[in-house]
Amino acid sequence: MSTVFSKIIAGDIPGRIVYQDDKVAAFLTIEPVAYGHTLVVPIEEIDKWTDIPADLWAHMNEVAQKVGRVVVDKFDAQRAGYLIAGFEVPHAHIHVFPANDMSGYSLASAMRADETDAAKMDAAADTIREGIKQLEAK
């Protein structure tokens, strides 16, 4: 059975995808710790990050680093938070988010999906997409 992440990647359910290639997709989480909170996910359904082949893991981290650079720059963050949790969906993923303190590292502090502002989520997705394009153009 497909994970919710696979359904987002396939376009079967809505998602704010900010990056996708043949190996990795990145999209906004519906329960962000801050606007711009992005998940970097392998296209292939792999449950545990420790089971991801080294070359794919390296690529995921390259994409996460691009997203991190964008969230620091465009969201005026001191740092890009990076977190691997993975109990809520059995599909490996890296959380990347704007961070100015340690609060974002507790997913318990995340906004519920019904608490987010759709316009702010859309704007964050547009900002990250554009920022990645700018990085890749350099």
Side-chain angles (χ1 to χ4, degrees):
M1 184 169 171
S2 290
T3 69
V4 66
F5 293 167
S6 292
K7 291 175 183 177
I8 291 169
I9 293 164
D12 296 335
I13 59 175
R16 292 176 175 92
I17 297 176
V18 298
Y19 175 89
Q20 187 168 346
D21 60 30
D22 61 334
K23 297 178 183 175
V24 172
F27 47 86
L28 297 188
T29 180
I30 62 168
E31 294 188 336
V33 296
Y35 289 103
H37 184 164
T38 303
L39 304 178
V40 179
V41 180
I43 301 293
E44 181 182 352
E45 289 183 7
I46 302 170
D47 183 10
K48 299 173 187 168
W49 72 269
T50 52
D51 293 336
I52 298 172
D55 60 333
L56 177 55
W57 182 245
H59 183 58
M60 286 177 65
N61 278 277
E62 288 172 10
V63 172
Q65 190 173 45
K66 285 180 188 179
V67 172
R69 287 181 177 142
V70 171
V71 299
V72 166
D73 182 47
K74 303 294 184 182
F75 293 84
D76 195 31
Q78 293 177 25
R79 302 232 189 284
Y82 178 108
L83 180 66
I84 301 167
F87 285 99
E88 64 280 1
V89 177
H91 193 148
H93 53 287
I94 301 168
H95 294 257
V96 181
F97 51 91
N100 291 309
D101 56 42
M102 293 298 293
S103 64
Y105 287 88
S106 171
L107 297 178
S109 68
M111 294 176 254
R112 291 189 327 262
D114 63 351
E115 295 175 323
T116 61
D117 181 312
K120 288 181 181 179
M121 293 289 283
D122 290 341
D126 290 342
T127 296
I128 295 169
R129 277 187 213 104
E130 185 58 34
I132 290 172
K133 285 180 189 173
Q134 290 171 357
L135 282 176
E136 291 180 337
K138 291 182 180 182

